[in-house]
């Protein structure tokens, strides 16, 4: 089975989903599933994202932007390429 997770970012200081989703991905990978984790590329990765990648999770990072006003993020790069992953 193939699983695709999509989150807005996996930065070192983000916390929340940037910590728990890579852990979930690692457990799924260890269970024999093929796991891809897609996110905006915001520079440095959290330690849990790096560990997930070491465990075999495929990380797909896309260029994106985040509005400083309302913190909403968007990535045209991700929108154009998600179909190829799916």
């Amino acid at each position: 089975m193939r699983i695709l997770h999509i989150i807005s970012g996996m930065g070192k200081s983000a916390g929340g989903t940037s910590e728990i989703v890579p852990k979930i991905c690692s457990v799924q990978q260890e269970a024999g599933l093929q796991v891809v984790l897609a996110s905006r590329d915001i520079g440095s990765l959290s330690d849990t994202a790096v560990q997930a990648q070491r465990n075999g999770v495929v990380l797909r990072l896309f260029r994106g932007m985040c509005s400083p006003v309302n913190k909403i993020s968007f990535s045209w790069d991700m929108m154009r390429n998600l179909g190829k992953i799916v």
Side-chain angles (χ1 to χ4, degrees):
M1 177 185 294
R2 294 173 39 192
I3 298 175
L4 170 63
H5 293 275
I6 303 170
I7 60 175
S8 64
M10 293 183 287
K12 287 187 176 188
S13 62
T17 56
S18 66
E19 289 294 318
I20 194 64
V21 173
K23 287 180 184 180
I24 291 169
C25 291
S26 288
V27 171
Q28 291 171 330
Q29 185 73 30
E30 290 167 4
L33 305 171
Q34 295 177 334
V35 183
V36 175
L37 177 52
S39 179
R40 284 182 315 116
D41 186 357
I42 57 173
S44 61
L45 295 172
S46 69
D47 294 340
T48 53
V50 171
Q51 185 60 45
Q53 191 172 33
R54 286 187 192 129
N55 290 345
V57 174
V58 176
L59 299 184
R60 294 295 308 264
L61 303 175
F62 299 96
R63 286 174 280 129
M65 60 183 188
C66 185
S67 168
V69 176
N70 55 17
K71 303 297 184 203
I72 293 175
S73 62
F74 187 77
S75 172
W76 283 112
D77 187 33
M78 184 184 287
M79 292 297 294
R80 284 190 293 273
N81 291 290
L82 270 182
K84 296 173 189 172
I85 297 172
V86 174

